Amino acid sequence: RKSAEITNTIAEKFIEFDENKKKESANNIIKYIDQQMENVFTQLNSTEQDLHDFRQQNNIRSTNEDLLFNKSNLYTSKMSELESKLLNIDFEIITLEKIAEKIKKEPELKTYEILAMLSGQQSEVFLSGMINSLQELMNRREILLFDVTANNHKIVTIDEQIKSKKETIIDFVNSTIVRLKSEKTEYSRKIREMENQVFVDSSYDEIEYARLVRLYSINEEFYSQLIKTKAETMISQAGYVSDNLILEKASIPVTPDFPIL
């Protein structure tokens, strides 16, 4: 009876441990999103206050906002689109930098956590395949360790492959970050050019007001996107189950195997 209870308890605790590890990954993602939300909310709150103060100082009412932007509505809309792209690039750069840091510093890499961080990013399509390939190597290593020691030639070979794959991923991430920063510079240049074209005959007040409205809209949209991502992660977390299954619980024999009476 004691042997059966120990065996069943170990099996149940292993499955519980497996589920908790997956939930821990989701908790880390939620914590990361909360940090981003806090930063964006601070910017949103600040921009909202600046916009409110500007309206009061310049006596701008909601009834004449359409008239104010009638001449440059198309251009400001385009600039809002460009600035939204800039914000997405900044978010992706931050995400990729965190991923590169995790791969460098964490020996026990949680690939599903990285894949969750990549969700919705432009580089997700390219990186997800490389991450899955790395996970396959790690799975093979884990299976082999049931039969051989860590000094075995097969394990050493796989370790080298894992190291090489990690280096390839880090190089790709760094190259992607460089490309994104180049795109960010180009978008910033286009925004400056459009501002000079649109507001060549406008007063400073119109330029500043247009800038504040765009910043508020962008931060508001980004904050809503983070809330949606957090909700999706929390829903996924609630549905996490272990990949392992107890096929049959240890049972207590009806009659003893020994001694034979």
Side-chain angles (χ1 to χ4, degrees):
R1 180 183 296 276
K2 183 178 180 180
S3 298
E5 289 178 354
I6 290 174
T7 303
N8 289 328
T9 302
I10 289 175
E12 290 167 0
K13 289 298 179 181
F14 178 79
I15 289 179
E16 183 182 333
F17 169 80
D18 194 21
E19 292 176 354
N20 288 336
K21 290 298 288 183
K22 288 186 176 181
K23 290 179 180 179
E24 179 186 350
S25 171
N27 287 332
N28 290 334
I29 295 169
I30 291 172
K31 182 179 178 181
Y32 170 70
I33 293 173
D34 283 338
Q35 292 174 348
Q36 297 301 316
M37 286 177 64
E38 185 177 348
N39 295 334
V40 176
F41 181 78
T42 301
Q43 295 176 10
L44 181 63
N45 197 34
S46 175
T47 307
E48 185 178 20
Q49 186 61 47
D50 291 343
L51 190 57
H52 174 74
D53 294 343
F54 191 91
R55 282 172 173 165
Q56 283 192 329
Q57 292 169 6
N58 294 274
N59 196 27
I60 298 175
R61 301 181 180 180
S62 58
T63 54
N64 62 9
E65 284 184 4
D66 292 339
L67 179 62
L68 181 65
F69 286 102
N70 185 48
K71 181 179 66 174
S72 58
N73 184 53
L74 178 62
Y75 292 94
T76 52
S77 175
K78 182 63 178 176
M79 282 189 283
S80 295
E81 180 184 341
L82 290 173
E83 288 184 336
S84 179
K85 288 181 179 179
L86 276 178
L87 197 62
N88 289 333
I89 287 175
D90 282 336
F91 184 65
E92 183 159 5
I93 288 173
I94 292 171
T95 302
L96 291 174
E97 287 175 343
K98 285 184 175 293
I99 287 173
E101 185 179 359
K102 279 181 175 293
I103 294 174
K104 287 178 183 177
K105 296 184 177 180
E106 295 185 7
E108 299 297 328
L109 189 65
K110 305 178 183 68
T111 55
Y112 48 84
E113 183 175 331
I114 293 178
L115 290 173
M117 291 174 66
L118 279 172
S119 179
Q121 304 295 336
Q122 292 182 8
S123 50
E124 178 184 6
V125 176
F126 302 101
L127 268 177
S128 58
M130 301 171 75
I131 297 297
N132 287 329
S133 177
L134 175 62
Q135 183 61 56
E136 289 177 5
L137 289 172
M138 293 167 66
N139 290 342
R140 282 171 54 193
R141 184 183 190 277
E142 187 176 349
I143 292 171
L144 278 173
L145 283 174
F146 284 111
D147 299 322
V148 298
T149 66
N151 296 324
N152 186 273
H153 175 70
K154 292 182 179 179
I155 297 295
V156 173
T157 301
I158 290 182
D159 284 342
E160 288 297 323
Q161 291 174 343
I162 290 174
K163 180 182 176 182
S164 176
K165 180 63 69 175
K166 285 183 176 181
E167 290 174 351
T168 301
I169 294 172
I170 291 172
D171 288 341
F172 179 82
V173 168
N174 290 334
S175 299
T176 303
I177 290 173
V178 171
R179 177 181 59 80
L180 289 171
K181 287 182 176 179
S182 177
E183 287 183 12
K184 180 180 176 181
T185 302
E186 181 63 20
Y187 282 135
S188 298
R189 184 188 64 80
K190 287 182 179 179
I191 289 173
R192 289 194 299 270
E193 286 182 355
M194 291 190 68
E195 284 181 339
N196 292 333
Q197 291 174 4
V198 175
F199 299 115
V200 65
D201 297 324
S202 299
S203 67
Y204 174 78
D205 287 349
E206 291 181 27
I207 297 174
E208 181 64 12
Y209 188 65
R211 186 185 70 83
L212 290 172
V213 170
R214 290 200 310 274
L215 285 176
Y216 179 78
S217 299
I218 291 167
N219 285 321
E220 186 179 38
E221 179 183 350
F222 190 38
Y223 190 73
S224 299
Q225 180 183 342
L226 288 172
I227 292 175
K228 180 181 177 183
T229 304
K230 180 180 178 180
E232 291 174 349
T233 305
M234 292 177 71
I235 291 171
S236 299
Q237 183 187 33
Y240 281 155
V241 294
S242 174
D243 295 328
N244 302 285
L245 179 67
I246 299 175
L247 298 178
E248 184 179 358
K249 288 193 174 184
S251 58
I252 304 169
V254 178
T255 58
D257 292 331
F258 183 85
I260 300 175
L261 301 178

